């Protein structure tokens, strides 16, 4: 019981990363899906708060494999509120990936409402 209480209290103050927050798992999952695709891949990453490492890593993978992929990002927060903290087991932040996407010409950019 003590361990459950400790985990609960700890999660109130710091993020407790789960499998969906693992950027490497995101990339490996994407590779499994697109491995047999013979043409360009339209990837639509959805992260409401622009803060999901799983999606950020998949977008990064797509941007590193242009023009075989066309990455699209859908989020509901303004870019200024994107997560800019180091992601465990990765050398990037969600914000750095979004900024890279904004300057890459092969990425689809939709209007942002602030």
């Amino acid at each position: 019981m003590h361990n459950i209480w400790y985990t609960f209290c700890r999660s109130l103050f710091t993020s407790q990363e789960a499998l969906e927050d693992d950027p490497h798992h995101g990339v490996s999952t994407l590779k499994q899906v697109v491995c047999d695709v013979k043409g360009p891949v339209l990837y639509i990453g959805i992260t409401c708060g622009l803060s999901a490492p799983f999606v950020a890593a998949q977008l990064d993978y797509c941007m590193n494999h242009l023009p075989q992929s066309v990455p699209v990002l859908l989020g509901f927060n303004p870019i200024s509120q994107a997560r800019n903290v180091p992601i465990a087991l990765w050398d990037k932040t969600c914000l750095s990936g979004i900024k890279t996407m904004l300057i890459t010409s092969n990425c689809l950019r939709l209007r942002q409402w602030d």
Side-chain angles (χ1 to χ4, degrees), residues 53-71:
F54 188 91
V55 173
Q58 290 180 335
L59 285 168
D60 183 66
Y61 177 82
C62 288
M63 287 186 292
N64 289 325
H65 291 86
L66 298 171
Q68 296 89 1
S69 63
V70 179

Side-chain angles (χ1 to χ4, degrees), residues 3-13:
N3 194 21
I4 294 170
W5 179 248
Y6 172 76
T7 303
F8 170 74
C9 289
R10 193 174 77 172
S11 65
L12 289 175
F13 301 103

Side-chain angles (χ1 to χ4, degrees), residues 43-102:
Y43 171 81
I44 301 173
I46 302 171
T47 167
C48 295
L50 301 177
S51 61
F54 188 91
V55 173
Q58 290 180 335
L59 285 168
D60 183 66
Y61 177 82
C62 288
M63 287 186 292
N64 289 325
H65 291 86
L66 298 171
Q68 296 89 1
S69 63
V70 179
V72 177
L73 175 62
L74 177 61
F76 300 101
N77 282 354
I79 294 170
S80 61
Q81 292 180 1
R83 190 166 145 184
N84 194 27
V85 296
I87 296 173
L89 307 173
W90 204 37
D91 62 344
K92 297 181 176 127
T93 67
C94 289
L95 180 61
S96 68
I98 292 168
K99 286 182 176 181
T100 301
M101 188 176 177
L102 288 174

